[in-house]
Amino acid sequence: MLLIDCPHCGPRAQSEFAYDRTLDAVVALAMPSAEAMTTLYARANPRGWSDELWHHRFGCRAWLVVRRHTATHAIESVTGYAP
């Protein structure tokens, strides 16, 4: 289980959060249809650091950007998300 350090509530268990998507997917929503389809469904799944969007659903209900390593699940940083 991951321990996510919410900037508003402090360290909390992963079970309090809902994973939404990578930030690449958020950017893809503003792209033309064909380009968005490629970004969303034909993307690589590389190992390494990824910026992900998480929702603190059982806490402060804030949207957070979690920088997480996809192979080790180590969390480098957690910041608030403002679209």
Side-chain angles (χ1 to χ4, degrees), residues 18-41:
Y19 170 81
D20 190 47
R21 63 189 79 178
T22 64
L23 287 184
D24 293 339
V26 174
V27 172
L29 297 175
M31 295 178 180
S33 184
E35 191 177 344
M37 292 295 281
T38 301
T39 301
L40 292 172
Y41 298 109

Side-chain angles (χ1 to χ4, degrees), residues 36-82:
M37 292 295 281
T38 301
T39 301
L40 292 172
Y41 298 109
R43 60 191 166 96
N45 190 16
R47 288 183 175 202
W49 293 102
S50 175
D51 291 325
E52 303 169 340
L53 196 57
W54 288 71
H55 181 233
H56 195 178
R57 61 184 177 171
F58 296 130
C60 61
R61 303 188 57 82
W63 287 94
L64 306 171
V65 176
V66 177
R67 183 158 176 81
R68 182 180 66 87
H69 196 279
T70 57
T72 64
H73 300 291
I75 295 176
E76 183 178 85
S77 65
V78 180
T79 58
Y81 174 71

